[in-house]
Amino acid sequence: MSRFKYDCPYLIETICSRAMRGMEDWKAQNISNLAHALAELGYFDQSLFEEIAKQAERISMEGNEQSVTNTLWAFAIVGVVAKNESAVKLLWNNAIERPGGEFLEVHWRMLALSRLFAKSEGVDLGSEHSRFLKMATSCVVEGSSEFEKAVAKDLVRHGYDGFEREVSPFEGVEGGELLKIDIAWRKDKVALELDGPTHFLTALRGGSSEIRLDGPSKAKTRLLESHGWSVHRLSYLDHIALDSKGEVAWRHYLRDIFEA
């Protein structure tokens, strides 16, 4: 479900309702899988995550590295770290106490992201295993590069240059290659995030015609705003529409960004 990013609200509602009635009977892995799926799909049900938080000790005791990492990451993406600080720190400490070699690179990346999101909520998870976390932040993940190049050309063509690409919202070296802003006017703290097809959920037949952003994209907007950035998002569909409408549409769009 979350792997293919299907938008299935009725199924999610049914699963969540059952989880609220009897999560204590679920296996630790099933709870972490649910948390990860909800965060990935952008279903930010805070009351459900409060129930998941009650299972943190069991997840840390019974879950493997992936289960602990998935649950931590989910709390971070949903933005409920501060509200469930004790549970999050319990999971974090459990992860840090495990041998570093037991985690895959993707797990370290998720842990590094969790730490950054937690810090944006005012929760310091520490820097133990800093060598592994630093390695995770140095890994470059390719984005919508062709899309980004096309938008950059359009911005210059319409007189909105002076921007930078792939800008870190953090001070110094914190964050490394993680959570970089696609296009930024650093002085004005204006961020333009570009959303290709992978940023959206796939609507099932008969479902809503409105396309929805996934959880990590929503979370990144929240984090950037917490650092004082004015965040605007441009989807690949909106970009096609702007190009088809021409220069006047582009100028109105860009004016709205800088006058917001």
Side-chain angles (χ1 to χ4, degrees):
M1 179 173 61
S2 65
R3 177 179 297 179
F4 300 105
K5 291 190 175 180
Y6 286 129
D7 191 9
C8 39
Y10 298 114
L11 176 59
I12 290 290
E13 184 179 341
T14 299
I15 294 173
C16 290
S17 177
R18 291 182 179 178
M20 291 290 284
R21 292 198 303 268
M23 192 180 298
E24 63 276 4
D25 296 325
W26 287 29
K27 293 181 179 179
Q29 182 177 344
N30 293 339
I31 298 172
S32 71
N33 288 346
L34 175 63
H36 183 271
L38 293 176
E40 184 69 53
L41 296 173
Y43 288 94
F44 294 175
D45 186 333
Q46 295 194 12
S47 60
L48 181 60
F49 273 84
E50 289 175 4
E51 292 301 311
I52 293 174
K54 295 176 183 177
Q55 306 300 320
E57 184 173 2
R58 189 154 65 88
I59 294 171
S60 67
M61 293 177 62
E62 300 175 12
N64 59 15
E65 286 72 24
Q66 181 178 8
S67 295
V68 173
T69 302
N70 280 351
T71 309
L72 272 168
W73 179 85
F75 276 103
I77 294 299
V78 175
V80 290
V81 172
K83 290 184 178 180
N84 301 280
E85 184 172 347
S86 296
V88 169
K89 285 189 171 180
L90 187 154
L91 290 165
W92 177 266
N93 290 335
N94 178 270
I96 294 304
E97 289 170 1
R98 297 182 183 221
E102 296 297 315
F103 291 89
L104 301 177
E105 181 180 296
V106 65
H107 298 148
W108 283 115
R109 182 178 175 81
M110 291 171 72
L111 288 172
L113 285 167
S114 300
R115 182 171 173 269
L116 291 170
F117 278 108
K119 192 171 183 179
S120 74
E121 290 190 51
V123 177
D124 186 0
L125 295 179
S127 58
E128 293 84 353
H129 274 318
S130 57
R131 180 171 68 89
F132 291 99
L133 292 172
K134 185 175 181 180
M135 288 169 57
T137 62
S138 67
C139 298
V140 179
V141 175
E142 297 201 11
S144 305
S145 58
E146 293 304 315
F147 179 24
E148 188 175 310
K149 289 176 184 177
V151 172
K153 288 181 180 179
D154 287 329
L155 291 171
V156 172
R157 180 160 53 91
H158 294 294
Y160 284 83
D161 52 5
F163 57 82
E164 300 172 61
R165 291 167 58 184
E166 301 301 321
V167 173
S168 175
F170 306 107
E171 296 292 335
V173 298
E174 184 175 25
E177 295 296 323
L178 300 180
L179 299 172
K180 284 193 170 181
I181 301 167
D182 293 329
I183 293 177
W185 289 264
R186 195 190 297 265
K187 182 179 178 181
D188 299 312
K189 296 202 82 170
V190 172
L192 182 59
E193 284 291 291
L194 307 178
D195 299 319
T198 59
H199 289 254
F200 296 97
L201 306 187
T202 301
L204 296 177
R205 182 178 298 178
S208 172
S209 59
E210 178 185 0
I211 58 173
R212 293 200 313 110
L213 272 176
D214 63 11
S217 299
K218 293 179 182 179
K220 186 177 179 182
T221 295
R222 186 183 68 242
L223 180 140
L224 294 178
E225 289 176 342
S226 76
H227 282 75
W229 287 84
S230 174
V231 183
H232 305 270
R233 308 199 74 96
L234 178 64
S235 75
Y236 70 104
L237 293 175
D238 290 336
H239 182 242
I240 293 171
L242 285 170
D243 276 351
S244 68
K245 292 176 182 177
E247 184 173 346
V248 173
W250 263 108
R251 290 196 176 277
H252 284 164
Y253 172 77
L254 293 168
R255 185 186 62 196
D256 289 343
I257 287 179
F258 285 93
E259 292 182 0

